[in-house]
Amino acid sequence: MEKTVWIERININNQKMRRHFVNTIERGVVVNEEFENILKEAFGEQYKEFIVEENGQKIIRFWGKSGLYSNRSSPKYGDIVVIVLYNHGNYESSMYVGITSNMVKNDRLTEYLKRNPSTTWENAGRFPNVFLINVSKINDEKLANEITDLFEKGQLIPPQGSLAKVSLNDFSEENKKKLLEILENLGFNFKVIGNQNTLLEERDMDSLELLEVYKSKGYYFPSHIVSQFYSSLKTKGFVILSGLSGTGKTKIALKFAELLNKDNDKNYIFLSVRPDWRDSKQLLGYYNPLDNKYYKTPLLKLILRAIEDYDKNKENASPYFVILDEMNLAHVEYYFADFLSVLESGRDKDGFTRESIKLHNIDEVETNQKIPKEIKLPPNLYIIGTVNIDETTYMFSPKVLDRAFIIEFYDVDLDNYPPEEQNISDDTISEIRNLIYNDLKRQGKFLAVSKDELNNAIRDLPNNYKEILKNLNKALEVYNLHFGYRVFDEICLFFKNAKESWEKGIINFKDKDEIFDLAMLMKILPKFHGNRRKLEKPLIEILKICLKDEKEIEEINYEKIIDMLKNWDNKKGKFRFQHTGKKVLRMLRQLYEIGFASFG
């Protein structure tokens, strides 16, 4: 997982700040029952890792800031924080180094700290953003001076009261090596990722990845597929898994739903789609006027349970999953039309879809059978479809492709099959489940995204990726294959959600480019469907963006494409966006072989 080093300078000749530092970092604060409940609300299960036993009491240490710092980012779980103490023009001979939690803003937490006299939070009173820390005091004057000197040389120590994010690019190669040696001597085992100058943690936190759960069950999936699946589900809640038969599309969905099934009542339903499905009766049931009864289906029962759970429990509600196996054996646009419409209607202030699915209009059914006349889908309901493409199935319309995240299972790695058995304890699985559960529910919002959250996601997408999307859309507009605001919004939300879950250690990516690469693959390419005359030039435009050097495709032809695909392991280094690039090459190969190509 990518890690960041942060520097905090605390001016302890300021008496209020000194007391605040002593109480919250040096001594720590006693955790009583009320405080522990607030910590759980603010940090999820993460807080438990920062509680220590001292003198028979639970103690926790933390620090806070008035705002989020350094390019709109803030400390995240597992980052390193170095705290230097400044006193009347000089640095103290001791300092603190440790691991942080995510920084969070929680009104109940801030209020508790303000009224707790042991924190002096009210006196220092400008810290609504809090992060927990597991710190070690360095009493070795020589070592403390050595670390301070390293950061001073790069002019990296911030002004008093500031928290600064450190890039390894700020260090010379000699000092970078020295920093890593010091961190290793302090018990923090890190390494530098390639030439990216970011830190990769080598502790056991990686064992908390979702991928490890699948390995423990004997299933092999590429890391990016698991990360793609989870991030898509968290972002959209409607995911279609397409590709080769026998590659684990159904299993990845089922095992994920089973992992999050906390009680005896199943929180998921598995439905095998039949070719004779023509409308929504098979999914939602129907009213029979002959006996004046509404005949419910298992799916409708699950949806009503999800609604009831969310109404009663809000942030403590469970997620519910609908798995539609081989969903294109029938026309999706027929039997799933009601769902497609309401899923795109947006969410109201309570998180439900703005539009509803009409079930019946009979008062007696509503009164006697307790079946509502209409239902709005709750934000804790997730829909996963699996798809095989052959002569017995139907192609998806652009309407369906535009409303879902499409993940393709295509690559088969027989060299690493079967996977080595991974033994994970029940406690670890429980820890992973809690980590995913708290991340997926998004503080009780689940799939609901406010306008402010969307705008923040758009603003937070790095400018270089925004420019790529703008330039690509202009290039595709000539061919009437450009994308709309919804696609742009969903790429931004996917990037934000994937990055957050990566930082928490739930999933893993090579780098941020891979997140953006997968977003383009899922949201831009699925609508490409047609003959060579229609698709060749726009596909080449996308290929240009995927390559590190456009000159590589000055003379693109069938033989060159085949060579790239056959020798992909050696050629992929030429691509900045490898997943999208490889898919474009496959689609171009189809065009040159049969004159027609589609995403599926």
Side-chain angles (χ1 to χ4, degrees):
M1 295 179 293
E2 186 182 330
K3 298 295 162 193
T4 301
V5 177
W6 298 83
I7 288 283
E8 169 76 36
R9 167 176 154 171
I10 300 176
N11 185 7
I12 60 173
N13 60 280
N14 179 310
Q15 291 303 312
K16 288 182 179 179
M17 192 62 71
R18 178 189 286 272
R19 285 199 305 272
H20 182 51
F21 162 74
V22 168
N23 288 333
T24 60
I25 292 180
E26 195 167 74
R27 293 177 187 160
V29 174
V30 174
V31 180
N32 58 28
E33 185 177 353
E34 180 189 5
F35 191 20
E36 186 160 3
N37 288 334
I38 293 171
L39 288 169
K40 185 172 183 179
E41 176 188 303
F43 295 95
E45 297 297 318
Q46 199 180 101
Y47 83 95
K48 292 180 180 178
E49 297 184 32
F50 294 86
I51 289 181
V52 294
E53 292 279 346
E54 292 182 7
N55 301 320
Q57 293 181 307
K58 289 182 178 179
I59 301 292
I60 202 160
R61 293 176 169 87
F62 52 87
W63 194 244
K65 305 307 300 177
S66 57
L68 305 184
Y69 283 75
S70 184
N71 298 323
R72 304 177 63 83
S73 61
S74 58
K76 61 184 182 299
Y77 178 58
D79 281 356
I80 304 171
V81 63
V82 178
I83 299 172
V84 296
L85 307 178
Y86 193 72
N87 190 12
H88 295 291
N90 297 300
Y91 292 104
E92 293 282 288
S93 59
S94 62
M95 62 171 55
Y96 292 78
V97 179
I99 296 292
T100 77
S101 70
N102 293 329
M103 180 185 276
V104 303
K105 183 174 183 178
N106 182 281
D107 292 339
R108 281 188 69 201
L109 177 61
T110 303
E111 185 58 37
Y112 178 85
L113 297 176
K114 279 185 178 181
R115 59 183 167 84
N116 187 332
S118 67
T119 68
T120 65
W121 201 265
E122 187 171 11
N123 291 330
R126 52 189 181 86
F127 300 135
N129 303 285
V130 182
F131 58 95
L132 308 176
I133 43 179
N134 274 337
V135 290
S136 301
K137 186 176 183 180
I138 300 175
N139 287 314
D140 185 326
E141 184 175 351
K142 181 182 176 183
L143 180 57
N145 290 337
E146 192 176 17
I147 295 174
T148 304
D149 187 51
L150 264 181
F151 288 104
E152 274 200 306
K153 278 181 179 176
Q155 297 182 325
L156 301 175
I157 296 182
Q160 63 183 43
S162 294
L163 179 69
K165 183 177 182 179
V166 177
S167 166
L168 294 186
N169 284 318
D170 297 326
F171 292 88
S172 67
E173 287 300 318
E174 180 184 352
N175 287 341
K176 187 190 302 180
K177 184 177 179 182
K178 199 170 185 179
L179 173 65
L180 292 172
E181 287 175 356
I182 290 171
L183 291 172
E184 186 175 353
N185 290 334
L186 291 171
F188 303 113
N189 298 313
F190 291 81
K191 65 182 179 182
V192 178
I193 309 173
N195 61 357
Q196 298 169 41
N197 287 297
T198 53
L199 290 175
L200 181 69
E201 187 177 30
E202 294 183 313
R203 297 189 302 144
D204 289 338
M205 283 168 58
D206 279 352
S207 65
L208 295 182
E209 280 185 27
L210 175 59
L211 179 64
E212 301 303 315
V213 176
Y214 288 112
K215 286 181 179 179
S216 73
K217 304 294 183 184
Y219 297 105
Y220 174 78
F221 298 105
S223 177
H224 77 270
I225 286 287
V226 174
S227 302
Q228 194 179 359
F229 169 69
Y230 178 79
S231 303
S232 300
L233 206 59
K234 180 181 173 183
T235 301
K236 182 73 174 181
F238 179 28
V239 178
I240 295 175
L241 310 177
S242 174
L244 291 175
S245 297
T247 48
K249 299 185 294 294
T250 301
K251 289 300 181 185
I252 197 173
L254 269 175
K255 294 303 172 185
F256 183 77
E258 289 172 3
L259 175 67
L260 295 185
N261 193 45
K262 284 190 168 185
D263 49 41
N264 294 326
D265 291 329
K266 285 204 316 187
N267 66 337
Y268 66 91
I269 186 169
F270 179 84
L271 297 172
S272 296
V273 175
R274 292 171 52 90
D276 59 350
W277 287 11
R278 294 289 183 267
D279 54 37
S280 63
K281 289 188 181 71
Q282 303 295 335
L283 294 178
L284 297 172
Y286 62 94
Y287 170 71
N288 186 346
L290 296 178
D291 58 9
N292 199 30
K293 287 184 180 180
Y294 193 97
Y295 288 85
K296 288 191 292 188
T297 62
L299 174 58
L300 180 57
K301 292 176 184 177
L302 183 85
I303 295 173
L304 293 175
R305 270 181 56 210
I307 292 171
E308 182 182 15
D309 189 4
Y310 187 74
D311 276 337
K312 286 182 178 178
N313 301 308
K314 291 294 189 252
E315 66 271 11
N316 294 317
S318 295
Y320 292 78
F321 301 93
V322 179
I323 301 170
L324 295 168
D325 196 40
E326 298 198 60
M327 69 182 301
N328 62 333
L329 276 179
H331 278 293
V332 177
E333 296 82 354
Y334 293 172
Y335 71 86
F336 206 62
D338 292 338
F339 287 85
L340 291 174
S341 296
V342 301
L343 285 171
E344 291 310 315
S345 65
R347 302 274 175 176
D348 60 26
K349 61 182 177 61
D350 296 317
F352 288 82
T353 55
R354 292 187 186 279
E355 299 300 323
S356 60
I357 296 176
K358 307 300 186 285
L359 298 178
H360 63 85
N361 60 357
I362 310 300
D363 294 334
E364 290 179 22
V365 169
E366 187 172 38
T367 303
N368 298 332
Q369 291 187 257
K370 308 300 182 187
I371 299 174
K373 293 180 180 179
E374 57 187 24
I375 54 171
K376 292 183 176 182
L377 300 183
N380 59 332
L381 183 71
Y382 300 82
I383 300 170
I384 307 166
T386 70
V387 171
N388 290 317
I389 306 296
D390 57 40
E391 65 277 2
T392 67
T393 60
Y394 295 95
M395 294 297 296
F396 287 131
S397 69
K399 177 181 179 180
V400 178
L401 297 174
D402 195 42
R403 283 159 170 74
F405 273 85
I406 314 294
I407 301 174
E408 191 177 39
F409 287 61
Y410 191 91
D411 295 313
V412 176
D413 182 9
L414 295 179
D415 290 334
N416 292 307
Y417 184 83
E420 293 182 14
E421 286 190 17
Q422 301 281 342
N423 294 318
I424 300 181
S425 68
D426 291 341
D427 287 343
T428 301
I429 292 220
S430 178
E431 194 173 347
I432 296 172
R433 178 188 297 111
N434 290 333
L435 189 62
I436 291 172
Y437 176 74
N438 287 314
D439 182 58
L440 195 65
K441 73 177 185 179
R442 298 178 60 249
Q443 297 178 321
K445 292 176 288 190
F446 291 93
L447 292 169
V449 178
S450 68
K451 191 64 177 175
D452 286 342
E453 286 178 292
L454 175 58
N455 289 339
N456 286 336
I458 293 171
R459 280 194 293 266
D460 287 346
L461 185 72
N463 287 331
N464 63 322
Y465 298 140
K466 287 179 185 172
E467 286 302 311
I468 289 171
L469 291 175
K470 288 176 187 176
N471 294 335
L472 178 59
N473 216 29
K474 286 180 181 177
L476 295 179
E477 188 175 7
V478 177
Y479 309 101
N480 201 29
L481 284 169
H482 53 302
F483 47 87
Y485 298 112
R486 176 166 53 219
V487 167
F488 183 79
D489 290 348
E490 289 180 357
I491 288 175
C492 294
L493 286 170
F494 177 87
F495 187 90
K496 171 184 175 291
N497 287 326
K499 185 169 173 288
E500 284 178 355
S501 300
W502 180 25
E503 290 168 351
K504 293 176 184 177
I506 296 170
I507 51 178
N508 198 12
F509 297 96
K510 293 176 186 174
D511 49 35
K512 293 174 186 174
D513 274 358
E514 186 174 37
I515 299 177
F516 183 73
D517 181 11
L518 292 169
M520 282 201 303
L521 174 66
M522 292 186 291
K523 295 310 300 179
I524 293 175
L525 280 182
K527 68 185 294 184
F528 279 62
H529 176 90
N531 57 34
R532 180 172 177 175
R533 187 173 181 180
K534 176 184 177 183
L535 296 184
E536 183 177 19
K537 289 181 180 178
L539 283 174
I540 289 174
E541 290 293 339
I542 297 178
L543 195 62
K544 287 179 185 177
I545 284 173
C546 294
L547 283 160
K548 294 176 180 176
D549 184 359
E550 286 187 20
K551 294 178 182 177
E552 290 288 338
I553 56 167
E554 285 181 351
E555 295 182 10
I556 192 75
N557 55 49
Y558 179 70
E559 287 73 23
K560 193 168 186 178
I561 290 170
I562 294 298
D563 178 62
M564 282 187 172
L565 290 173
K566 279 186 176 179
N567 301 288
W568 181 249
D569 287 342
N570 297 323
K571 302 288 187 180
K572 64 183 180 183
K574 297 180 179 181
F575 289 80
R576 178 181 178 185
F577 303 119
Q578 296 178 4
H579 300 291
T580 305
K582 190 175 185 180
K583 181 60 182 177
V584 169
L585 288 175
R586 285 172 171 161
M587 293 177 75
L588 284 170
R589 187 206 68 209
Q590 277 186 300
L591 282 183
Y592 295 149
E593 286 177 347
I594 61 175
F596 180 89
S598 65
F599 182 81

